[in-house]
């Protein structure tokens, strides 16, 4: 093997020396931080991650993005195979049409039975009129027979006619009652048919929703971090397809002892310094302070032991600022966050905001 070229080694040595000198200069000039009224903690840059997953089991038809792509809210990312869902929708729509037809038939039954009931009521009226006539005729026959003007046979015939008219009226009224029952049954059938229609519509709506959800869309602005599955693969319900990172929701999580965390308020100013970019000072705001300690010793008796009570704190970078520098935003980068505990103090020059050009 050939020895590395001196032309390559010399620039590398110069860069390493420059970085070492910068770090040494920082530590020499700024060894203990800005002093009283400030606190710091180590952490890593993090961002909100979202797993985009399939709602239902199925085959991935198409992936519209690749790793590293920036996406906007509601942008289609993945399309699932929907052939089965379309068949189910067609079947559900056919069931819906059948249910609608059943409603029409049930309503026709109501109309028919209502008409039959009206006809039965008319027959009752007719039979009652006949009964009234038979009763009057029988009364006259009784009077004539008592006076000897009419034979007993005629009286018996009129009595028989009266009894027949009464039976006919009773039968006609029974027909009306039967018609009422038929109308009520037909109306119940309409209610049942309408319920079937609503159930069929709900089924169609559910399948339509599944069809809509078969196009996986971005829930927010972000960047595709990595793909979990590829086109043609079958994923289970809830199976991940890709991962997004929201670079407008970036923060650093770190820990402070209870003596300092107790003085930190939500909205307090912070400054983030990254190991990978020592020349930058990024402004941030405290967005979270844990209400319980992350580490508690078995016994807390001395002041030194109480210093071991560490509380989680989060400093969030302004989304508007992040949108101006999306191309340089990276997650996982280690660094340190400085907090101003005393609002009356001013940030030192070393912690003045310095952003990338």
């Amino acid at each position: 093997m050939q020895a590395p070229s001196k032309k390559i080694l010399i620039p590398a040595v110069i860069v390493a020396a420059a970085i070492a000198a910068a770090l040494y200069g920082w530590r020499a000039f700024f060894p203990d931080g800005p002093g009283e009224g400030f606190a710091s903690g180590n952490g890593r840059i993090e961002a909100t991650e979202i797993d985009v997953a399939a709602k239902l089991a199925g085959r991935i038809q198409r992936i519209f993005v690749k790793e590293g792509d920036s996406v906007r809210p509601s942008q289609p990312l993945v399309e699932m195979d929907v052939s089965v869902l379309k068949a189910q929708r067609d079947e559900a729509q056919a069931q819906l049409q059948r249910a609608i037809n059943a409603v029409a038939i049930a309503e026709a039954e109501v109309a028919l039975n209502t008409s039959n009931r009206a006809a039965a009521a008319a027959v009752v009226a007719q039979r009652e009129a006949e009964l009234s006539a038979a009763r009057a005729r029988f009364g006259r026959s009784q009077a004539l027979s008592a006076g000897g003007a009419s034979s007993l046979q005629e009286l018996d015939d009129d009595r028989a006619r009266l009894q027949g008219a009464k039976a006919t009226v009773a039968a006609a009224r029974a027909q009306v009652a039967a018609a009422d029952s038929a109308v009520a049954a037909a109306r119940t059938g309409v209610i049942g048919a309408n319920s079937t229609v609503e159930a069929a519509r709900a089924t169609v709506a559910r399948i339509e929703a599944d069809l809509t959800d078969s196009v996986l869309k971005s829930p927010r602005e972000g960047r595709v971090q990595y793909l979990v599955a590829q086109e043609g693969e079958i994923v289970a319900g809830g199976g991940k397809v890709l991962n997004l990172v929201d670079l407008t929701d970036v923060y650093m999580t770190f820990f402070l002892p209870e003596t300092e965390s107790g003085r930190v308020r939500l909205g307090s100013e912070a400054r983030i310094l990254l190991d990978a970019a020592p020349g930058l000072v990024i402004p941030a705001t405290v967005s979270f302070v844990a209400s319980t300690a992350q580490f508690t010793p078995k016994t807390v008796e001395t002041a030194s032991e109480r210093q071991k009570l560490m509380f989680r704190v989060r400093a969030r970078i302004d989304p508007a600022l992040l949108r101006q520098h999306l191309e340089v935003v990276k997650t996982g980068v280690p660094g340190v966050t400085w907090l101003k505990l005393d609002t009356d103090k001013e940030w030192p020059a070393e912690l003045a905001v310095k952003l990338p050009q």
Side-chain angles (χ1 to χ4, degrees):
M1 296 178 59
Q2 294 183 352
S5 173
K6 291 184 179 180
K7 293 182 179 180
I8 298 176
L9 289 176
I10 291 175
V13 171
I14 292 174
V15 171
I19 293 176
L23 292 175
Y24 175 80
W26 170 265
R27 291 172 180 169
F29 185 76
F30 204 22
D32 300 320
E36 292 292 330
F38 295 86
S40 67
N42 298 315
R44 289 181 180 273
I45 289 293
E46 302 175 64
T48 298
E49 293 188 17
I50 305 131
D51 290 325
V52 177
K55 178 181 176 181
L56 302 173
R59 187 185 302 277
I60 299 175
Q61 184 76 22
R62 186 178 177 189
I63 298 178
F64 300 104
V65 293
K66 59 183 180 299
E67 293 179 350
D69 283 355
S70 296
V71 296
R72 61 186 183 277
S74 300
Q75 177 180 338
L77 305 177
V78 179
E79 182 181 9
M80 305 295 293
D81 183 15
V82 294
S83 55
V84 174
L85 285 176
K86 286 182 177 179
Q88 291 176 349
R89 181 187 60 185
D90 293 342
E91 180 183 3
Q93 288 176 338
Q95 294 290 344
L96 173 60
Q97 187 58 51
R98 181 183 299 176
I100 292 173
N101 294 339
V103 169
I105 293 172
E107 289 176 343
E109 285 290 330
V110 170
L112 176 62
N113 289 321
T114 301
S115 177
N116 291 339
R117 197 268 180 199
V123 171
V124 168
Q126 179 182 355
R127 297 296 180 258
E128 286 177 343
E130 292 173 353
L131 174 61
S132 178
R135 186 177 287 115
R137 183 171 181 173
F138 177 68
R140 289 194 298 271
S141 295
Q142 281 183 318
L144 291 173
S145 177
S150 176
S151 66
L152 292 175
Q153 182 62 47
E154 290 180 352
L155 178 62
D156 291 339
D157 291 343
D158 290 340
R159 181 181 292 110
R161 291 190 187 94
L162 175 61
Q163 295 301 322
K166 288 180 179 180
T168 303
V169 169
R173 287 174 178 170
Q175 290 293 328
V176 170
D180 286 337
S181 298
V183 169
R187 286 174 177 167
T188 302
V190 170
I191 295 173
N194 281 321
S195 298
T196 304
V197 168
E198 293 303 318
R201 282 178 177 157
T203 300
V204 172
R206 175 181 57 78
I207 297 174
E208 291 286 359
D210 288 341
L211 283 168
T212 300
D213 290 338
S214 293
V215 178
L216 311 185
K217 298 180 180 180
S218 175
R220 61 171 74 184
E221 182 179 5
R223 183 179 296 163
V224 179
Q225 189 159 285
Y226 54 85
L227 298 178
V228 180
Q230 299 296 329
E231 292 182 359
E233 291 186 23
I234 295 177
V235 295
K240 299 177 185 177
V241 180
L242 57 84
N243 175 273
L244 293 177
V245 59
D246 185 354
L247 296 180
T248 64
D249 189 10
V250 177
Y251 51 87
M252 179 176 284
T253 300
F254 54 97
F255 296 86
L256 292 177
E258 55 90 16
T259 54
E260 295 178 346
S261 64
R263 300 173 60 187
V264 178
R265 298 179 180 274
L266 293 177
S268 298
E269 291 185 59
R271 298 288 187 267
I272 296 177
L273 288 75
L274 302 177
D275 294 354
L280 300 181
V281 180
I282 304 170
T285 303
V286 174
S287 61
F288 172 81
V289 180
S291 56
T292 57
Q294 305 299 307
F295 169 75
T296 306
K298 294 181 179 179
T299 58
V300 182
E301 298 176 353
T302 65
S304 61
E305 287 295 314
R306 289 195 296 273
Q307 289 294 329
K308 295 180 181 179
L309 295 172
M310 304 298 288
F311 289 78
R312 184 162 58 98
V313 183
R314 178 178 293 174
R316 185 170 182 260
I317 303 174
D318 183 7
L321 176 61
L322 290 167
R323 286 190 175 91
Q324 298 175 17
H325 305 281
L326 284 178
E327 69 281 357
V328 297
V329 178
K330 301 291 187 297
T331 59
V333 180
V336 60
T337 298
W338 284 94
L339 299 178
K340 186 166 65 172
L341 303 179
D342 188 346
T343 57
D344 294 332
K345 289 187 174 293
E346 297 293 334
W347 287 105
E350 294 78 8
L351 291 178
V353 174
K354 298 175 186 176
L355 299 174
Q357 300 297 323

